[in-house]
Amino acid sequence: MSNVFVIDSFYQPLNPVHPARARLLLKQGKASVYRMYPFTVILKRVVAQPEVKPLRIKLDPGSRTTGIAIVNDASGEVVFAAELTHRGQAIKAALDDRRAVRRSRRQRKTRYRKARWSNRKRKQGWLPPSLESRIANVLTWVKRLSRSCPLTAISMELVKFDLQQMENPEVSGVEYQQGTLAGYEVRGYLLEKWNRTCAYCGAKETPLQIEHIHPRAKGGTNRITNLCLACEQCNTAKGTLDIAVFLQKKPEVLKRIQAQAKAPLKDAIAVNTSRWLRFV
């Protein structure tokens, strides 16, 4: 059970108290509710020389959620614990929707809109808005908690994921150093991987196009695991359809393609990118 934060009438943080003690202070009229979450009460007097115990805030960062715990360094007691949910995925989805709307607007038969992407430069240290949101979310809550309790130290778990080892646990040696596309370009690698045939209909000896298994319009990426080869007819017929819908009459083909397409590593990449940037 998390304790209740206490501040005096000068907004000076004091030692957190047990919820029963906080209820007693409120019942006796010695304090009032200052904030609902994290639940904080404010005393109706000033504490001249408070004897506060130093507290440490600990962070366990993640892509979707971040664990927060405030502990007493002397006794090891957990004073406060919470799980912070991030909006990174929602921000990414909103930006994808906006991009699709703007793309369709440019393609409609409306007045000519001059290209504007060539006059924009990214500043040094630029991060995607979804990652900035995660970092700002953690910083906001650390500052908010520091105003409610006497924090003197901070600790954060520096997690790092080996993406290549996650994709292929057996990789080692020179193969690990070179990576998947060593000696190839993307098109050449896909031609070898898909045996120069259409992934959907198996057509050979025909011009092949690079196709996104999970459509870009629905959040698909350009990762090599999301790419395959398709003839023009299959590529046009699939369009932005989900692969399960497009191949619902060919379950064996769907199973084969899904076996080659691996799960995305968005969450691991998000943690790796932002691990050193939260308090720099």
Side-chain angles (χ1 to χ4, degrees):
M1 178 184 295
S2 295
N3 290 356
V4 175
F5 297 127
V6 181
I7 59 176
D8 65 7
S9 57
F10 277 179
Y11 305 102
Q12 183 178 6
L14 306 175
N15 291 324
V17 298
H18 193 275
R21 174 63 177 167
R23 283 195 297 269
L24 184 61
L25 291 173
L26 294 173
K27 185 176 180 179
Q28 294 176 347
K30 296 181 179 180
S32 58
V33 177
Y34 178 71
R35 181 178 289 118
M36 293 300 298
Y37 196 85
F39 192 77
T40 308
V41 298
I42 181 170
L43 298 179
K44 296 182 179 180
R45 64 185 180 88
V46 178
V47 180
Q49 295 180 346
E51 296 182 2
V52 295
K53 300 177 181 178
L55 301 177
R56 176 184 296 271
I57 184 170
K58 295 185 176 183
L59 304 173
D60 183 9
S63 172
R64 300 177 185 270
T65 59
T66 291
I68 300 177
I70 297 177
V71 299
N72 187 325
D73 268 346
S75 63
E77 176 191 3
V78 177
V79 175
F80 175 82
E83 190 176 74
L84 184 60
T85 303
H86 299 301
R87 295 183 57 250
Q89 301 293 335
I91 292 174
K92 176 65 166 58
L95 291 175
D96 289 342
D97 291 343
R98 187 183 69 176
R99 185 187 305 115
V101 170
R102 291 181 174 179
R103 184 185 298 116
S104 66
R105 184 176 61 192
R106 285 193 294 268
Q107 292 175 351
R108 290 197 298 266
K109 295 182 180 179
T110 56
R111 64 181 179 84
Y112 174 72
R113 296 176 69 251
K114 187 177 180 180
R116 297 178 57 194
W117 60 82
S118 59
N119 62 352
R120 299 175 183 175
K121 293 183 179 179
R122 292 176 177 175
K123 62 181 180 181
Q124 187 176 4
W126 176 89
L127 284 176
S130 57
L131 293 185
E132 283 191 350
S133 171
R134 292 180 176 94
I135 296 172
N137 203 10
V138 173
L139 290 177
T140 297
W141 275 97
V142 169
K143 293 177 182 178
R144 184 174 298 174
L145 292 171
S146 66
R147 293 193 294 266
S148 301
C149 61
L151 294 179
T152 58
I154 185 170
S155 300
M156 185 174 70
E157 183 179 357
L158 295 178
V159 183
K160 185 179 180 182
F161 295 98
D162 191 332
L163 304 182
Q164 187 159 311
Q165 199 78 30
M166 291 172 66
E167 286 191 329
N168 183 11
E170 304 299 327
V171 68
S172 61
V174 177
E175 185 182 356
Y176 179 89
Q177 299 174 7
Q178 293 178 341
T180 304
L181 294 178
Y184 290 96
E185 291 188 4
V186 173
R187 181 175 291 275
Y189 174 80
L190 292 175
L191 287 171
E192 292 290 335
K193 179 179 179 180
W194 297 97
N195 199 23
R196 301 178 183 272
T197 61
C198 175
Y200 299 129
C201 67
K204 297 183 179 180
E205 304 298 333
T206 183
L208 299 173
Q209 302 174 353
I210 296 179
E211 155 72 5
H212 293 81
I213 299 174
H214 184 60
R216 286 270 295 170
K218 296 183 178 179
T221 65
N222 287 325
R223 284 183 61 83
I224 196 68
T225 54
N226 191 47
L227 300 179
C228 68
L229 293 177
C231 62
E232 183 177 3
Q233 183 177 0
C234 290
N235 195 2
T236 304
K238 180 175 180 293
T240 59
L241 290 175
D242 187 85
I243 188 172
V245 176
F246 179 64
L247 295 176
Q248 58 183 350
K249 296 183 179 180
K250 299 179 179 180
E252 64 282 352
V253 178
L254 175 62
K255 185 177 181 180
R256 173 175 55 83
I257 294 177
Q258 287 180 336
Q260 293 194 23
K262 299 180 180 179
L265 302 174
K266 292 182 180 179
D267 293 336
I269 294 172
V271 173
N272 282 358
T273 305
S274 59
R275 60 193 293 260
W276 290 107
L277 301 175
R278 297 182 189 272
F279 300 100
V280 175

